[in-house]
Amino acid sequence: MEHAKLEHPAPEHESKAHMGIPLPNGKLAMWLFLVTEIMFFTALIGVYIIIRNGQPTVRQPWPTPHDVHLVEWIGAFNTFVLICSSLTVVLAHWSLHTKNVRRAILYIGVTLALGCVFLVVKAFEYNSKFAHEILPGRIFEKLDGPYGAKFVRHVAAQLQEIEEHHPNSKAIGQVKKLREEIGETFSGLSPKQVNERIVGPHHVKDCDKPERSFMTENDKGILEIDPDLHLSYSIPFGNMWASCYFAMTGFHALHVFGGLVVFTVILVLAWRGLFGVHHELMIELTGLYWHFVDIVWIFLFPLLYLV
Amino acid sequence: MSVAHPAEVHAHPEMNFLSKYFFSQDHKVIGIQFLFTSLIFLVVGGGLALLVRVQLAWPHAEIPLLSWMFQDNGGRMPESFYNMLFSMHASVMIFFVIIPVLAGAFGNFTIPLMIGAKDMAFPVLNMLSYWFMWPAFVLILSSFFVEGGGPAAGWTSYPTLSSVAMPAGEGLQSPAAPNSGHGQVLWLLALTFVGISSMLGSVNYITTIINMRAPGMTLYRMPMTIWAMFITAILQAFALPVLTVALILQTLDKTIGTTFFLPDGLTFGNWITGPGGGQTLLWQHLFWFYSHPAVYIMILPSMGMVSDIISTFARRPLFGYRAMIYSIAGIAGLGFIVWGHHMFQSGMDPRLGTGFMIATIMIALPSAIKVFNWLGTIFHGNIQYTAAMLFALGFVALFIIGGLSGIFMAATPVDIFIHDTYFIVAHIHYVLFTSSIFGIFAGIYYWFPKMFARQMNEFWGRVHFGLTFVLANCVFFPMHILGVGGLRRRIPDITASPREAAFMPLNQFITISALVLGAVQIIFVINFFYSLFRGKPAGRNPWNSNTLEWSAPSPPPHGNFETVPIVFRGPYEYVEVEGHGDHLPQTLKLEGPAPTAGH
Amino acid sequence: MTDLEHKEHAADHGPNFQTYIAVFIALCVGTGLSFLANLFLGQGAASFWIIMAVAVFKATLVAMIFMHLKFDWGRLYCIVIPVSVMAVMMMIVLLPDSVFYWHHLHRQQETAAESTGH
């Protein structure tokens, strides 16, 4: 049973003892915010990891980077850009800590520039996805049934476009031939055969192999001859891939953009002469956020591009 | 943050009406803003519930008030409308009433006052946390009025019903998913805003509680209300982001054609989902990963407040203070590993089911410890049966029932039988209405004098309690019987099945009780608003309570305390001391040897 | 802002310029290593473990040094450890329904296909 104990009235210095941990409110709050962000990206990345490891099989595999126009070295370059920006932002904090305000502002400016480079490269990557229609809900997979018929019609329209606007393509002969074979009623070839003609026998996935193939080992697919043509082809789990890719990199890019907004605010403060050594905590907290964004990309890059 | 100068007068330029009452950064004003908007939504949610009950009791009759909407159906509500009613009733009650009142209103109001701080750590963030709720309010209310009506896939919004995308060019609704159009997207966005508001708030609360306590206010001298708010804030910070992800992914599924939760090749009438190979069970896992901690978010603050109220009005120290803290922590910790008990019937791996069952049954332990400790607190107490105390005692009594029905459901073999029956509905409402909301009523009666410097009418408060207590049991207890008898939930017409039609008399009894229960709440509304303007003026400490907020003026000014409070003892020193009555406030400095309580 | 300074002094001084540069170089080397592992070893088990180990190493470096966690650990472990546990736990619990179930299903389908001689 609890006794009503009177605790000693604290001696003068003790009653004014500070409660709490020796961490500024802002820093504690930023770490708590990062905790919520960790859970956010864990859920997002977790969804990707388990979907990717769950349903695909050997016959019907998860798309390779090549299938979806993902270029590894561009991702690696972006990783390098973010790493540099992490360095510059921590050096900005270090500069302020050593009372060099001008150098700190310079480093923040470089960080902002690097962040912009990251987003520009990302925009370039997204553009290649848009151009090839690698978008959620727009990718053809599963060529049986109604999907297959849609696929053939779509390809026929694309072939017509190529004939009209890219007559000098290396693969123009194959293009014309395929269009003829498909025919006016789109039923000259099965969807899987059309697909094989486009990607070539070496790149066809097991689940997309046509029952009767007219191509031999030495034949080349249209896209093997001229990879720049805009022709759709079956990408098993392509829609799932695109869904995950755009969700993950999209939210990461939004977070990068948020960081850039803060850097811009800091630079505006500096431009108006209001920035000084007393902003050290603010730079530290911004740096914490930015490092977190970098850590997320450190995981996103291998998970999406490499493994 | 720093030590205040005595008699610190906050020399603000005079604030205009907007910045003082609308865009206020004062935690008390923000708390009261949360309270008022949530009480409005309580009326909305309650109204939806009454419509549900009316349909259940008289399924073939015209719907009162709304029959003009359904002229081509003979004035009766279509099934999709019924689905929308119960979906929105739950969504509004959970996300727009209970969580904002407990975390937003009471959390905001009590935390700085009870720990002796001038305000929250980040007042601007606090204000933003409130204003982020307004887009949510607009979105959720507008979902009723868009084409296709409000969302009707349950508050749990399971795919594939909820996630079927709106095919472009084929009209706004796919034929098999009525009410799964724009309204569903608005619901998803509304909840995302609620989540952001809660996350901002929880960061603020945790920082404030850790770093801004008054001198002498060690962690183990904090009142249970604060411990509960603290642990609730941690729950929100950890669990909400996962819900946010789930909501966003479902929004993407519905708008831009992703297929996270849509398996391929499903046909709905003439419409077929595209290829993609998503997983419907994934939504359930992500959703319940948050929504199970959410139910603890909805009960723990009430538990904390009830602890303080019971101690005050029994004039006795809280029995087992540390055990109470560790129990709350235990409930919260275990609460993170039990979400699968909502999914026993979903087809998930049975081995996971076993794990979830064991963890769920374990949660009964800390909950029981709390109940015993409340009873231990009252034992031999000098009980004052104020309205606040009555609701607090009602909480304890009826939480026992809600908790016990939970144990039935925790056992997978039993749950297989009672899942999706009224037994679950009974459990939900015992823990949410007769526990959480009773706690909210208790808190309102208790802190009303501090908020508004007037007291609510005690007589009518007791009448409110008595009628609500009896009627709530009339409404929700029979649901246990209905559930075990096999009455399914979420169906609009129980006479369609002869087996279930036999339950109609009990069903009608419930509805009539519910209608009266709804009417009785008018007493509370009148009492509340009348007392705001004409209530008996209250001093600083009308309840003779120990905690810090009662040493501040009523209502506390900007900055809360005239001087920085210094804390000398815990919050539950309700003991007879020579010259000091029967309680020792936390800030009271005593000279001389320590008095001991005789027990 | 006396107690702010008080809190700052309580914190450790932190790394110096050389440490930051050293970490930066390590991060670049790690990135290059991952890229090369993928280039030469393709997408297999060996490259997977190398690449993920490098990723964890890089993240740890950024967190410990750039984010000052090594020096603030005593004040922050209470929130960093639970969230790490929770993050890992959540992914593990999702495995049976989203991963193992499908593997099991595919194995079943394969044996069924074999036995009917497809």
Side-chain angles (χ1 to χ4, degrees), chain B residues 261-277:
Chain B
F261 305 122
L262 285 170
D264 57 40
L266 288 183
T267 40
F268 298 92
N270 294 328
W271 196 78
I272 186 169
T273 63

Side-chain angles (χ1 to χ4, degrees), chain B residues 99-325:
Chain B
I99 292 182
V101 167
L102 288 176
F106 284 114
N108 252 316
F109 190 82
T110 61
I111 290 176
L113 281 171
M114 286 177 120
I115 63 172
K118 291 198 299 198
D119 205 311
M120 289 285 185
F122 305 105
V124 177
L125 199 68
N126 207 14
M127 177 187 74
L128 284 177
S129 166
Y130 176 69
W131 284 100
F132 263 101
M133 289 296 286
W134 274 89
F137 297 154
V138 169
L139 288 167
I140 199 76
L141 289 176
S142 53
S143 74
F144 284 112
F145 301 107
V146 293
E147 189 178 338
W155 81 277
T156 48
S157 186
Y158 281 2
T160 49
L161 179 63
S162 60
S163 302
V164 172
M166 300 171 284
E170 289 175 39
L172 285 169
Q173 303 177 76
S174 76
N179 290 66
S180 182
H182 286 320
Q184 180 71 29
V185 176
L186 292 174
W187 180 92
L188 291 164
L189 293 175
L191 261 61
T192 310
F193 274 103
V194 173
I196 295 174
S197 158
S198 294
M199 277 190 278
L200 294 178
S202 66
V203 167
N204 217 347
Y205 295 179
I206 296 173
T207 309
T208 306
I209 291 174
I210 290 181
N211 261 1
M212 294 186 61
R213 287 166 281 134
M217 176 62 86
T218 62
L219 285 178
Y220 285 112
R221 285 181 183 170
M222 294 198 309
M224 284 309 296
T225 303
I226 303 302
W227 271 109
M229 294 295 177
F230 180 52
I231 291 177
T232 301
I234 295 175
L235 277 176
Q236 286 193 311
F238 278 46
L240 258 174
V242 178
L243 178 74
T244 310
V245 167
L247 293 171
I248 289 172
L249 295 185
Q250 194 178 102
T251 310
L252 293 178
D253 271 8
K254 290 190 73 64
T255 49
I256 68 171
T258 57
T259 49
F260 290 105
F261 305 122
L262 285 170
D264 57 40
L266 288 183
T267 40
F268 298 92
N270 294 328
W271 196 78
I272 186 169
T273 63
Q279 301 187 27
T280 51
L281 208 53
L282 187 58
W283 162 269
Q284 292 192 32
H285 277 294
L286 292 174
F287 177 81
W288 286 115
F289 184 88
Y290 165 73
S291 296
H292 189 80
V295 313
Y296 295 119
I297 289 168
M298 292 192 280
I299 195 76
L300 293 181
S302 276
M303 286 181 164
M305 300 193 303
V306 157
S307 300
D308 286 339
I309 292 171
I310 284 184
S311 182
T312 301
F313 291 112
R315 313 309 295 165
R316 297 252 298 134
L318 186 68
F319 188 97
Y321 171 69
R322 295 227 176 176
M324 288 298 238
I325 296 172

Side-chain angles (χ1 to χ4, degrees), chain A residues 18-28 281 284, chain B residues 1-2 207-208 210-213, chain C residues 1-12 72 75:
Chain A
H18 276 292
M19 299 289 115
I21 56 180
L23 210 60
N25 283 357
K27 200 162 171 183
L28 177 59
L281 183 64
E284 186 180 7
Chain B
M1 261 209 305
S2 48
T207 309
T208 306
I210 290 181
N211 261 1
M212 294 186 61
R213 287 166 281 134
Chain C
M1 288 273 223
T2 23
D3 53 320
L4 176 62
E5 286 170 22
H6 168 80
K7 289 183 186 219
E8 281 292 354
H9 279 121
D12 233 298
D72 292 330
R75 291 167 276 258

Side-chain angles (χ1 to χ4, degrees), chain B residues 463-483:
Chain B
V463 167
H464 173 222
F465 167 76
L467 291 174
T468 302
F469 184 88
V470 169
L471 287 165
N473 281 294
C474 289
V475 173
F476 299 117
F477 198 84
M479 290 185 182
H480 292 110
I481 302 167
L482 290 176

Side-chain angles (χ1 to χ4, degrees), chain B residues 435-464:
Chain B
S435 302
S436 286
I437 293 199
F438 271 32
I440 290 173
F441 283 141
I444 292 178
Y445 282 106
Y446 185 61
W447 275 298
F448 190 94
K450 183 56 58 184
M451 289 181 186
F452 304 113
R454 291 181 185 278
Q455 282 186 265
M456 287 179 77
N457 185 296
E458 273 300 311
F459 171 75
W460 287 109
R462 293 185 191 127
V463 167
H464 173 222

